[in-house]
Amino acid sequence: QVKVVESGGGSVKAGGSLRLSCEASRPPGTTTLCMAWFRQSPGKDEREGVAGFTPDDRPTYADFVKGRFTISREPAKDILYLQMNSLEAEDTAVYYCAANPWGCVFRPLEKWRWYNNYGQGTQVTVSS
């Protein structure tokens, strides 16, 4: 099981920025990790994909964050980042880091249940 811990959430005004971090601890013998960001907005039952990586390590984003959010990773340290700029009130949510101890799939944001390991989440609140 992969342990995942998120940090960096907070409250900002619309137009502001935040940077989320996620540190993963891989089980012994694990040679690769697939990591991604999901979020769950108030009143929604399901988590939605925000940003992740394709099998060839290209970043991929949900349409609603393209051009505003940037995902990056320090693979040697299993640390994942999400730089969030031009935040909108609609971005208010609990943001979760997800990880699997195997390679990413072609559509890494399609099904949050594909990931077996999540952190406790970090709250992001954007006021208008």
Side-chain angles (χ1 to χ4, degrees), residues 57-110:
D57 265 347
R58 287 185 295 171
T60 185
Y61 299 94
D63 286 344
F64 52 78
V65 302
K66 282 182 180 176
R68 301 188 297 123
F69 291 10
T70 302
I71 189 173
S72 60
R73 181 174 172 180
E74 291 185 48
K77 298 181 180 179
D78 287 336
I79 299 176
L80 188 71
Y81 300 102
L82 185 67
Q83 178 66 44
M84 305 187 295
N85 299 328
S86 302
L87 282 161
E88 304 168 352
E90 293 74 22
D91 296 317
T92 294
V94 178
Y95 284 72
Y96 295 92
C97 179
N100 277 341
W102 50 76
C104 291
V105 294
F106 181 65
R107 294 175 182 169
L109 306 179
E110 196 166 270

Side-chain angles (χ1 to χ4, degrees), residues 16-68:
S17 299
L18 282 173
R19 189 191 196 203
L20 306 183
S21 299
C22 167
E23 189 164 353
S25 300
R26 60 174 72 185
T30 302
T31 58
T32 189
L33 283 180
C34 179
M35 300 178 73
W37 289 101
F38 283 75
R39 73 184 188 186
Q40 189 162 0
S41 302
K44 288 193 176 179
D45 294 332
E46 297 287 320
R47 297 176 186 181
E48 58 184 357
V50 176
F53 292 96
T54 60
D56 56 352
D57 265 347
R58 287 185 295 171
T60 185
Y61 299 94
D63 286 344
F64 52 78
V65 302
K66 282 182 180 176
R68 301 188 297 123

